[in-house]
Structures are given as C-alpha cells and as structure tokens.
Amino acid sequence: MTQIAAVGPKPDAQEIRYEQPSRLTLTWRYLRRNKSLVLGLAIVIALTLFTVIGSLTIDTEKRAYPLAVKPKQPPSAEYPLGTDFFGRDLLAVMVRGIWQTAVIGLIAGAIGTGVGVILGFLSAYYGGAVDTIIRAITEVLLPIPAFLILVIIAGSIDRKSVTIYTMALIVSLLAWMGPTRVMRAQVLTLKERLFVNVARLSGMSNLEIVFKEILPNMLPFILAAFVSGVFAGIFASFGLSVLGLGPLREPLIGNTIWFAQQQAAFFNGWWWWPLWPSLALVLIFVSLTLINVGLDELANPRVRRTE
Amino acid sequence: MRLGYLVRRILFLIAVVWVAATIVFFIPRLSARNPIRERFAEIARSTGFAPKDLEQIIAAYEVKFGLDKPLLQQYVEYMSGVLRGDLGPSLTRFPKTVLELILSALPWTIVLLMLTTLISFVLGNLLGALASWPRSPKFVKGLMAPLMMLQAVPAYLLGLLLIFFIAFRLKLLPMGGAYSQGVTPSLTLEFILDAARHQILPAISLILASLGFWALGMRGMGITIQGEDYVNFAEHKGLHPRTIFTQYYVRNALLPQVTGLALAFGSVIVSGVLVEQLYGLPGLGGLLGDAILKNDYFVIYGITLFVILSIAILMFLVDLIYPLLDPRIRYESR
C-alpha cells in the first residue's frame, strides 16, 4: 500500500522518512567524516570533565592557594601532580586554573565576536559613512600587534587589583577587529543573494531581514569567529600572565608557569611544576584549533572537496 | 599611479604609527599610577633608602622628565620626540635612554628572528608545496597534520617543553641564557659557537611554531594551482617535473605567501619577545620582561612603539619588493 503511495503525486510524511535517515543518523554520519571536529570536541569535553569532577572532589578554594600543603613535593600518591614552591597542590591548581583560563577565553571570545558581529553588520548593511569609519578604524588597528598594547594596558593597571574578569575585559578590548572584518565580508555577499531581495520585496523591514534571513545563514561563521576569539583570548591572557602581568593571586595556568619560571623550577629540579600547566595549555590550544578546522569544513563545502 | 599608490601606503602606515603612539602615550596617563613614585617606593623597600625630601626628589624628576607640563604639551613633545627617535629616559638605568637600551638589545633579536623566520618560511613553503604536489611521497602529506597541531601551540610553550625534554632531561643543550656563565662577550670563534649553542632551542621553538602557518598556506595555494591550464600545458609539453615544480608551481604559489610575510611580522615579533623572555636572552624580549618586572615604564612604552614602527617599515618594504617578484603587478597607470 505504502509503495503505491510513493509513486503518487503527494507522498505523505511517512514516506519521506523512509528515504531520509533521521537527523541524528545524518549528524552521526557527518561527524564520522569530520574527524578534527570530533577530536577537538572530545578534548574539550575531557578537560571540562576534569575541572568539574575535580572541583567537586577537591577543595580547590583552599588547596589551589599558597601555604595549603607541603611545598616542593614531587608527584606521589598523596599529590598526584606534586606541589609547588609556595605550598599549592598542583592538581587543585590545574582544576581551578583550567576553569579560570576557560572563563577568560569565553568572555573575551563572546565580547570580541559580539562587537564584531554588530559592527560588521552595521558596516556592511548600511554602507556609506558608517562603513567608511568602521573600516578605517579596523584597518588602522589591525597591523598593530594587539598584544603589545595589552602589555601597556595591563601594566598601567594596579597589579594587585587585577582579577580574572578585568583580565578578560583587557584582552577583549582589541579582539573585535578580526571578527568585524570577517562579518562585514560575509554580510556583503549575503545581502546580494536572491532570498534577501525577495524578502525585501515582500515587505520585510531591515531588522527582520537581518534577524530572520541573514543571521541564520551566518551562524557557522559566527561560531567559527567565536572559537577563534576564545583561542585568541586565551593566547593573549597567557602571554600577559607569563610576563607577570596576570592576576597574580589566582592560580591561572599562565601565572603558574610564570611563578615556576621566577623560581627557576627546572634549574632546581622541580620539573613537574611548569610541566602540567604547559601540557594543559597545549591541549586547550590544539583542541580549539581542531574545532576550528572542523567548523571550517562544515561552513565551507569547498574545503571538503580538496581533502 | 605608482606614486599615488606609494603615497597612499605611506599615509596609511603613518596613520598606524600615529594611532599606536597615541595609545601608548595616553593609556598610562589615564591610570593613577606614578612610575617615578613607584620606582622610589621600590628602592625604599629593597635598600632602605628613604630620604626625608623624597617628595622634592620626585617633583624634581617630574620636572626633568617633563611630567609637570600640561598633558597636551607633553603629548606634542612626546610625538616630536618619537619623530626624532627620542623615546625618553630609562627609569631604572637612568643616564641611559630607552633608545640606547633598545639598540644594544636589538642585534640579538634581529639575528634570532631573521634566521628563524627565513628558515621557517623556506622550509614551510617547500613542505607545503610538496604536500600538494601529486608526485611527492606520501610521508610529506602525513606531515601536515602534526604541523597544524604545532602551529596551534604558542612558541613559548614549545620552548618550555623543549627545555624540559632536551635541556633538563637529556642535558643536550643549555636551559637558558645567551652564553655560558663567566664568558665575556667578544668576537672570537669560541664565543660565537657558545652563543650559537644557546640559540638553538629558542630558534627551534620559534621555527616549529611557525612552520605550519607557511606549510598550510602554501598547500592551499598549491591545490588551487594544480588544475590551472598552464600547469597542464607544461606537463603535456613534456617539461621535466622539477622544472614544472620550481618554475610553474612554486613560483606562482609563492606570491600570496610573501603578502602573508608582511602580515606575519606582528606575530613573529610578539612570539619572539615571549621566547626571549623565557630563555632569558638579552634581546628586546628580555629587556621588556625585565622592564615589566622593575616597573621601568618608559622602556615598556619605548619597546612597544619601536616594535610597531619596525612592523610598519617592514610592511612597506614588502610592498616595495612585491612587484619585483610578480612581474604582473606594476604600480603604474596605463
């Protein structure tokens, strides 16, 4: 019976399900092909589990700060990752440090991408003087290495009052130029597409077109810009904190490396102290890059063909 | 047109430097910190030197450095100083000026960064071109994934891991410093070899971190060139594969990479600064790390501005040599 219906002019919903595998199956099949996205997400999930389980089982409020445990202990059953010169349990430091580093990255990424999306839209959609001003500012600011300006900003602030949130804000100050440029280019190509013209002709308002027609099509790019923003935010905060400009009271990963360097940890044979934070950061950076490569493949079918 | 282009380019770069200098001038003034007062507080804390007329000394220094004048006048003086190459005095090594400190640190940085960038550019582009070249062996293509991972990791972290594995565990190379302790810098072969040995790890970390950028970019270019008619034509003409590879393939794919070089200067210098700080080298990075530690503000501002200025000049130079590499591009009207 159903087979006869399939030849008929109007197949019902049941028939379509036979031909199209479910969304879940399709996602699964896609993920099996997009290995870098899966691997990157797997690392991020593993790190998240590490911090969540860690902060539930260990007293990080106390053990991640100085004078909590016996100092300078190599990794052992009691201290799986060892302890540092100041008497911090490095396992607790890592649990808290990875979390704080992620918070800085997420805030900086969100602010940078948010501002970038808004400015990119304004610039591309309205054009004219708005476009000229926004473009001129971005073009002039882009060649200046943001990191050096951040060094000056972080250096001018009273170091004792720096928290991870001020750190995140400092880092996001110069994180919007890249996203602005990418978003502007994307909106420029999208707004000339047929469906936008159709929407305009059918009487949609500007805001409606932006939110209902253009924005949904930009999601993969916004997501990719966000992931790069998180990467850049963590990168910049890491650079600042290894120069000693971070929130020194907090067990941020970069700070831990800075303290280890200040105490010449390798020369003194405390190799475990700088090693764990370095490995954690390598994992963070590699996973974000893998996710970005995966997203690129998702958003750009042209990259897929060359593989 | 050629002149017009150059003028526009110069105006753009002047705007970049001017904006940067303005930021560098105003941000510290917005904060309540007083570098001179902090410097004296530092001295008082570490040496117990706390004269009664400290306020007068601080005021005298402020007059000497021109910090008592109206902000706008200071700004004009600072800008004209920057134009004359005067970046102000150093607070911690007072009679020396910031420019003197920078110039004495510069050779180390230039040698390290020039060599590593050159090696990384050549090697990375070669690997990338080979990876997209259909005839090349499989293992070259397999190299791309690890290179991509390495590119994700900051040179500083690679440097730290290299110190751990190669210098600390295997004891093959020194852990840091520019030359062995107790050696005085001189232009003898012995000293140069010793210094070179200390530069190996910093160089490797910088090269490994940047290799992937060039290799991946070149591979992408190579893949698009593969289908081009002129490559097919050269193959059918029966040219030697090596000739096709060097003259048709690499030559054309290289052009966007040179543009990339201009864009990469910023990140090269920043990662160079961090790596120098990690290894305690006496270059600009070491100077910056030291200045941050000792609150020597004028040195921090000076280095920042100097780096931005050199990036602008390098970008301009790349603009100038670009038409030499690509005969199709001429900044001329017709």
Side-chain angles (χ1 to χ4, degrees):
Chain A
M1 279 300 287
T2 42
Q3 268 167 350
I4 298 167
V7 199
K10 277 186 185 170
D12 55 39
Q14 242 186 340
E15 276 317 305
I16 297 170
R17 217 192 302 157
Y18 271 103
E19 281 153 31
Q20 275 261 328
S22 76
R23 237 192 141 92
L24 204 72
T25 329
L26 276 181
T27 317
W28 171 246
R29 271 190 207 163
Y30 179 71
L31 284 180
R32 258 204 326 208
R33 263 190 299 138
N34 197 340
K35 289 207 186 69
S36 43
L37 188 62
V38 174
L39 190 59
L41 285 175
I43 300 176
V44 168
I45 291 171
L47 287 172
T48 316
L49 284 180
F50 173 75
T51 55
V52 169
I53 295 174
S55 49
L56 288 178
T57 50
I58 308 168
D59 180 14
T60 55
E61 289 286 341
K62 186 165 168 288
R63 288 170 78 94
Y65 294 89
L67 306 177
V69 289
K70 223 163 130 190
K72 296 181 274 185
Q73 295 300 306
S76 62
E78 202 188 346
Y79 308 111
L81 302 184
T83 68
D84 74 0
F85 179 83
F86 303 103
R88 283 181 278 222
D89 180 3
L90 283 173
L91 182 62
V93 167
M94 292 317 296
V95 167
R96 212 172 164 76
I98 291 177
W99 173 246
Q100 290 182 335
T101 306
V103 167
I104 291 183
L106 290 173
I107 294 178
I111 295 179
T113 318
V115 175
V117 168
I118 294 170
L119 288 182
F121 263 103
L122 288 178
S123 183
Y125 202 81
Y126 292 103
V130 184
D131 186 32
T132 315
I133 294 169
I134 293 178
R135 238 179 59 203
I137 296 174
T138 356
E139 291 293 314
V140 169
L141 283 179
L142 264 177
I144 302 173
F147 179 73
L148 290 172
I149 304 294
L150 295 181
V151 166
I152 292 197
I153 299 174
S156 322
I157 295 175
D158 194 0
R159 236 165 278 173
K160 286 175 205 90
S161 63
V162 175
T163 65
I164 58 167
Y165 300 105
T166 41
M167 186 85 171
L169 287 179
I170 294 172
V171 168
S172 56
L173 275 181
L174 289 168
W176 51 269
M177 290 96 70
T180 302
R181 212 153 76 149
V182 175
M183 292 304 146
R184 178 178 171 276
Q186 280 306 321
V187 177
L188 275 182
T189 64
L190 276 178
K191 81 170 193 185
E192 299 306 325
R193 298 275 176 85
L194 208 55
F195 63 87
V196 176
N197 279 333
V198 170
R200 193 172 296 133
L201 287 175
S202 62
M204 267 192 174
S205 71
N206 266 339
L207 275 183
E208 262 183 310
I209 293 176
V210 166
F211 282 104
K212 288 189 181 155
E213 303 291 332
I214 296 182
L215 208 57
N217 280 296
M218 305 242 315
L219 276 182
F221 296 99
I222 295 177
L223 207 59
F226 175 68
V227 176
S228 327
V230 174
F231 184 98
I234 294 179
F235 198 107
S237 72
F238 161 74
L240 289 180
S241 48
V242 293
L243 284 175
L245 292 170
L248 292 182
R249 288 153 189 253
E250 297 297 332
L252 202 66
I253 303 187
N255 286 346
T256 312
I257 293 177
W258 185 72
F259 278 122
Q261 280 298 112
Q262 284 312 109
Q263 300 300 327
F266 280 132
F267 277 102
N268 289 313
W270 310 319
W271 52 268
W272 56 90
W273 188 7
L275 189 64
W276 309 128
S278 313
L279 290 178
L281 272 175
V282 168
L283 278 182
I284 292 177
F285 285 128
V286 166
S287 64
L288 288 176
T289 304
L290 284 172
I291 290 178
N292 231 352
V293 171
L295 282 178
D296 194 32
E297 210 222 44
L298 187 71
N300 259 330
R302 223 180 301 157
V303 187
R304 251 178 260 175
R305 238 177 288 144
T306 58
E307 289 299 320
Chain B
M1 185 60 194
R2 173 182 200 146
L3 207 69
Y5 175 82
L6 283 184
V7 169
R8 245 186 302 136
R9 225 26 221 169
I10 292 173
L11 285 179
F12 170 71
L13 290 173
I14 288 176
V16 168
V17 173
W18 175 66
V19 168
T22 308
I23 294 174
V24 170
F25 176 82
F26 276 108
I27 288 174
R29 302 293 194 287
L30 294 178
S31 84
R33 293 181 82 171
N34 182 336
I36 296 165
R37 189 176 300 275
E38 279 188 33
R39 180 72 202 131
F40 274 102
E42 182 84 35
I43 292 172
R45 229 179 300 138
S46 54
T47 61
F49 168 76
K52 284 189 210 83
D53 48 356
L54 192 61
E55 288 304 315
Q56 275 166 307
I57 297 179
I58 292 173
Y61 265 101
E62 281 183 346
V63 171
K64 183 160 179 59
F65 295 152
L67 295 176
D68 56 329
K69 292 173 195 159
L71 199 59
L72 211 61
Q73 194 188 341
Q74 280 186 49
Y75 177 66
V76 173
E77 278 175 14
Y78 184 76
M79 284 301 189
S80 65
V82 169
L83 284 182
R84 281 181 278 113
D86 174 14
L87 297 172
S90 159
L91 280 176
T92 41
R93 296 175 235 188
F94 168 58
K96 288 210 169 173
T97 65
V98 174
L99 194 69
E100 279 170 7
L101 287 176
I102 290 178
L103 288 182
S104 67
L106 201 57
W108 293 97
T109 305
I110 288 185
V111 170
L112 180 66
L113 290 189
M114 278 230 305
L115 273 182
T116 52
T117 308
L118 201 68
I119 294 174
S120 175
F121 186 78
V122 172
L123 202 62
N125 280 315
L126 195 66
L127 283 175
L130 282 176
S132 67
W133 182 242
R135 291 166 205 261
S136 53
K138 235 188 164 130
F139 76 91
V140 184
K141 287 176 185 135
L143 270 177
M144 286 299 118
L147 281 183
M148 196 198 76
M149 306 276 182
L150 279 177
Q151 182 220 354
V153 183
Y156 187 97
L157 280 179
L158 290 177
L160 207 60
L161 294 174
L162 283 175
I163 293 180
F164 174 66
F165 286 110
I166 298 190
F168 177 73
R169 275 279 136 108
L170 301 173
K171 300 200 177 2
L172 289 178
L173 288 164
M175 287 203 234
Y179 38 83
S180 302
Q181 280 182 329
V183 180
T184 39
S186 57
L187 270 179
T188 58
L189 186 65
E190 204 180 337
F191 173 77
I192 291 174
L193 282 180
D194 182 56
R197 234 169 75 83
H198 283 76
Q199 299 284 336
I200 295 176
L201 282 187
I204 293 180
S205 37
L206 284 171
I207 292 173
L208 282 183
S210 56
L211 208 53
F213 176 76
W214 304 119
L216 291 176
M218 188 64 171
R219 179 169 152 277
M221 278 310 299
I223 286 171
T224 48
I225 283 181
Q226 239 169 58
E228 293 282 345
D229 288 342
Y230 57 81
V231 177
N232 283 333
F233 178 64
E235 266 168 32
H236 289 292
K237 213 161 67 169
L239 287 184
H240 195 279
R242 201 190 303 131
T243 320
I244 302 177
F245 184 73
T246 52
Q247 301 297 313
Y248 288 70
Y249 207 70
V250 176
R251 176 110 164 86
N252 281 293
L254 206 56
L255 292 168
Q257 294 295 89
V258 177
T259 324
L261 198 59
L263 297 174
F265 286 137
S267 64
V268 165
I269 292 182
V270 168
S271 52
V273 161
L274 288 175
V275 166
E276 279 186 336
Q277 205 263 342
L278 170 69
Y279 284 92
L281 300 179
L284 284 186
L287 194 63
L288 179 67
D290 198 47
I292 289 173
L293 219 58
K294 290 180 182 154
N295 288 341
D296 195 340
Y297 300 88
F298 295 135
V299 173
I300 305 178
Y301 310 151
I303 292 178
T304 309
L305 207 56
F306 182 82
V307 167
I308 292 167
L309 201 69
S310 21
I311 289 173
I313 293 173
L314 287 172
M315 281 173 72
F316 184 63
L317 285 181
V318 168
D319 269 351
L320 285 184
I321 51 174
Y322 204 68
L324 297 180
L325 290 172
D326 188 353
R328 286 170 303 186
I329 293 180
R330 267 191 211 106
Y331 303 135
E332 279 166 46
S333 60
R334 45 199 66 201

